[in-house]
Amino acid sequence: MPEPRRIVVDGHAVELDPRASLASALVSSGVHALRRSVRGEPRGPVCGMGSCYECRITIDGVEHERACLRGVAGCSTVGTSAETRHVEPRSVRSLVCDVLVIGAGPAGLAAAASAARRGKRTVLVDENEGLGGQIWRADRGVESERRRDDVRAAGVELLVGTSVVMPLGERRLRLAARDATIDARFEALVLATGATELLLPFPGWTLPNVFGLGGLQALAKGGLELAGKRVVLAGSGPLLLAVAAIVEARGARVVALAEQASRANVNRFGLALTTRPAKLLQALGYARSIAALRTDAWPVEAVGGERLRALVLRTPRGNATIGCDYAGVGFGLVPNGRLAAVLGCALDGRRVRVDALQRATVPWIFAAGECTGVGGKDKALVEGAIAGASAAGDPEPAQKLARARTRELAFAERIERAFAPRAELRALARPDTIVCRCEDVTRAEIAQPGTSPDDAWRSTKLQTRAGMGACQGRVCGPALEFLDGRAARDARPPLAPVTLDALAVMPDESR
Ligand SMILES: Cc1cc2nc3c(=O)[nH]c(=O)nc-3n(C[C@H](O)[C@H](O)[C@H](O)COP(=O)(O)OP(=O)(O)OC[C@H]3O[C@@H](n4cnc5c(N)ncnc54)[C@H](O)[C@@H]3O)c2cc1C
Ligand code: FES
């Protein structure tokens, strides 16, 4: 291990692994609560990928930084309570390119390489510092390294640690990097914004050390120390097995693995894998976890005080209370169509609607990967290759890859059918269970649905402040959509919390 880095946390010096993410390192060092909620509850990281905003801390004097997106290496002082400071206005610069790609996961990497190889000046933007998205960000395997090399070899320019703030009109976006505001102008835009986890409220789910399933995986990849820890994994979908494998490989003991889907659904899905040898091979690698998997089982309560002590699971044989240090709980993935919606693209549910060229309903916008429907890495790569070429004006890959695309879409539908969350999960939250974590709004406080689902969400926000906090409904929106059909389709600018100066500077019309 390299020399530990000395960081001052709330006035005390601690030594942290310089290779870890700040969120992972802080939790490993015993700092489980990174902030207090509006009611004063302790809160720790949940999603591990920048969408829940539960890991907000002050880093080197800058408030509201997400600890899961920052590495230990670049930090000196950390505070877990907000401080007020004077914000220096940031510089504004302009960026002009042919193709702008948002999201550097498998879809975005494939799209950027595909557009740049066709001679287009291509810029790839991601709010995370590492390239690779949810699956490859901390991965140095052959496939992920080859995809990163492809992007560099094709001459793609990279803008990491940079979020999209808002549209500035047709073919223009405002971006916020840590030290600058950027006005981007381009001919075509590829959205490869991925997915977020469906996190459903249940009593105790806000306790520190109850993570999302993918959240726990992201923290583990980010250096969370797991040796000797007892971990419960619960929720739904293939991610359960992938996360079990990762945490066990890092020395944790998976003391329970609960899949909410029925045994029949899981078996049917397993059978369908026989038509996809590569995926079957991957599943066989999880044989031990598959044997330990309890189906028809789901979490009903997380127990603890300042942090998690045990998770109560509902199983066909009754409730079981399982002592644990960490829990990963996630009920599948939700396409991230927020930016597409703000840009006026039509969505089907939460999926960005695209044609065979991956073109969205706005002609200069293309979309690829999980944001068009959750289907995994292979779907993302095929769609990304098509989207990048189409954005560069070349329709040929759309024809060549049409069969592969159809096959991946069929697989995506199978996943959705097999692991659809069961109706019983709607009853997990009690009246006093917090549903909106940012504003501490309980299930009882949330108004009953109105006549139109859109009105219901708007009135919910106005009456209760649910969905009005830092995550802007990224967590409670999909949850409420599942719980009582309150369609949370009101993403609007700014898409990420930013300092006022990133909003206030007028775009330079001369460029
Ligand atoms: C938490 C999580 C864990 C997962 N783990 C696995 C796994 O172990 N194995 C597996 O096969 N699949 C996993 N998946 C599924 C995975 O999403 C896909 O297999 C694959 O990564 C999809 O690629 P993608 O390019 O569509 O999206 P992603 O890989 O999700 O990439 C999307 C990228 O867009 C960026 N982004 C989004 N919005 C903005 C914005 N406004 N501004 C700037 N950047 C933005 C994000 O930071 C992200 O890097 C996981 C998904 C999630 C959500
Ligand atoms: S854990 Fe950092 S934003 Fe969710």
Side-chain angles (χ1 to χ4, degrees), residues 58-115:
T58 303
I59 302 177
D60 296 331
V62 182
E63 290 177 89
H64 304 302
E65 291 279 310
R66 284 165 286 174
C68 66
L69 300 187
R70 296 290 302 273
V72 166
C75 308
S76 301
T77 60
V78 163
T80 59
S81 60
E83 298 155 16
T84 307
R85 68 176 188 119
H86 172 72
V87 178
E88 290 297 327
R90 296 176 311 169
S91 62
V92 184
R93 60 187 164 93
S94 61
L95 165 76
V96 180
C97 63
D98 299 314
V99 178
L100 187 72
V101 180
I102 310 295
L109 290 174
S114 176

Side-chain angles (χ1 to χ4, degrees), residues 189-505:
L189 179 69
V190 179
L191 302 177
T193 47
T196 53
E197 272 195 278
L198 177 61
L199 303 169
L200 296 177
F202 58 94
W205 73 308
T206 54
L207 283 174
N209 295 349
V210 180
F211 309 113
L213 192 51
L216 174 54
Q217 181 195 43
L219 292 166
K221 287 179 178 176
L224 178 67
E225 283 168 25
L226 285 161
K229 300 291 181 194
R230 297 159 306 154
V231 174
V232 176
L233 301 175
S236 202
L239 199 54
L240 263 177
L241 301 177
V243 179
I246 282 182
V247 299
E248 280 184 337
R250 284 166 169 71
R253 192 154 58 88
V254 176
V255 287
L257 190 55
E259 164 62 65
Q260 60 85 36
S262 65
R263 172 62 64 187
N265 273 11
V266 172
N267 287 348
R268 213 170 297 127
F269 181 74
L271 211 61
L273 286 182
T274 52
T275 60
R276 303 292 306 269
K279 292 191 193 294
L280 181 64
L281 204 66
Q282 194 184 4
L284 290 176
Y286 301 140
R288 212 157 64 85
S289 299
I290 292 171
L293 191 71
R294 304 183 197 193
T295 53
D296 300 278
W298 56 88
V300 290
E301 184 168 4
V303 183
E306 283 290 297
R307 63 184 150 117
L308 174 74
R309 299 273 172 217
L311 200 76
V312 184
L313 290 178
R314 166 96 184 264
T315 77
R317 292 187 186 165
N319 284 2
T321 301
I322 296 160
C324 55
D325 302 296
Y326 298 132
V329 183
F331 293 91
L333 303 179
V334 182
N336 175 8
R338 294 175 71 85
L339 176 54
V342 165
L343 289 164
C345 302
L347 305 189
D348 292 322
R350 286 184 173 268
R351 291 190 284 253
V352 185
R353 187 183 302 161
V354 287
D355 63 13
L357 291 171
Q358 300 297 136
R359 191 191 295 272
T361 53
V362 174
W364 45 274
I365 301 180
F366 299 80
E370 306 286 61
C371 65
T372 70
V374 172
K377 161 198 74 131
D378 295 332
K379 170 179 172 289
L381 289 171
V382 170
E383 289 191 347
I386 296 173
S390 302
D394 180 0
E396 215 178 290
Q399 289 150 19
K400 280 197 185 145
L401 294 170
R403 270 186 62 190
R405 180 175 181 269
T406 308
R407 196 183 48 177
E408 294 305 333
L409 291 177
F411 186 71
E413 269 174 34
R414 253 183 219 135
I415 296 183
E416 200 171 309
R417 267 202 308 276
F419 299 104
R422 60 172 62 219
E424 288 99 317
L425 301 177
R426 294 200 171 93
L428 289 183
R430 297 182 194 140
D432 64 346
T433 303
I434 283 170
V435 173
C436 168
R437 308 173 62 114
C438 295
E439 297 289 330
D440 279 358
V441 185
T442 63
R443 184 78 180 111
E445 285 163 342
I446 299 217
Q448 289 304 303
T451 42
S452 120
D454 287 336
D455 286 350
W457 177 242
R458 212 166 296 130
S459 58
T460 303
K461 287 178 77 169
L462 291 173
Q463 288 165 25
T464 68
R465 289 198 54 79
M468 304 276 273
C471 93
Q472 295 171 310
R474 284 172 172 81
V475 176
C476 67
L480 283 168
E481 203 163 288
F482 171 72
L483 293 183
D484 47 28
R486 231 174 281 242
R489 287 193 207 100
D490 65 345
R492 60 180 177 192
L495 279 148
V498 283
T499 52
L500 271 179
D501 68 315
L503 299 175
V505 194

Side-chain angles (χ1 to χ4, degrees), residues 12 48 51 129 137 139 141 153 240 245 322 339 370 429 499 510:
H12 303 285
S51 65
E129 285 173 353
R137 191 168 298 126
D139 180 282
L240 263 177
I322 296 160
L339 176 54
E370 306 286 61
T499 52
S510 64

Side-chain angles (χ1 to χ4, degrees), residues 45-48 50-55 66 68:
V46 179
C47 73
S51 65
C52 74
Y53 287 77
E54 286 283 39
C55 66
R66 284 165 286 174
C68 66

